Amino acid sequence: MASPDFATAVHYQLPLIVIVANNAMYGSIRMHQEKQFPGRPSATELTNPDLMTFARAYGAHGERVERDGDFPAALERALATKGPAIIELRLDPNQLTPDMAL
């Protein structure tokens, strides 16, 4: 939702790290749908770009984290780049919040 902003960060080599929690859906909307209308989700699934490739296309650091234990090393690598980076956290779409699952 903010690719022009990331382009600006790359242009000025701003040392920021974007962390995207990607569960491929509008999770909070889906949570309310499941509470009110169980098993009848509507328009909550998303088709997202490959954010690691997106960052690299700009010449920035990008990586994907699929296991919790891999995050600390990914963050260290992103910090070491001294420029903008994207870390995409791939999350289980059935885990809507830390304590609520479908």
Side-chain angles (χ1 to χ4, degrees):
M1 291 172 38
S3 62
D5 297 328
F6 192 73
T8 300
V10 170
H11 181 79
Y12 292 104
Q13 280 300 291
L14 302 176
L16 64 91
I17 299 171
V18 178
I19 299 174
V20 178
N22 181 3
N23 68 351
M25 73 169 60
Y26 292 117
S28 61
I29 295 169
R30 175 73 181 267
M31 178 179 64
H32 292 292
Q33 288 178 351
E34 290 295 340
K35 282 183 175 181
Q36 296 296 316
F37 307 101
R40 294 178 46 205
S42 176
T44 55
E45 292 182 16
L46 297 172
T47 301
N48 293 315
D50 181 332
L51 295 170
M52 179 177 68
T53 301
F54 171 81
R56 291 177 179 178
Y58 274 111
H61 179 80
E63 63 183 284
R64 178 180 308 113
V65 173
E66 297 188 28
R67 294 188 320 253
D68 294 352
D70 295 338
F71 179 76
L75 181 60
E76 287 300 319
R77 287 188 293 274
L79 288 167
T81 66
K82 308 289 188 211
I86 294 177
I87 300 174
E88 177 185 10
L89 308 177
R90 289 280 175 101
L91 305 176
D92 179 355
N94 291 319
Q95 192 68 41
L96 297 176
T97 68
D99 60 348
M100 183 180 178
L102 294 178

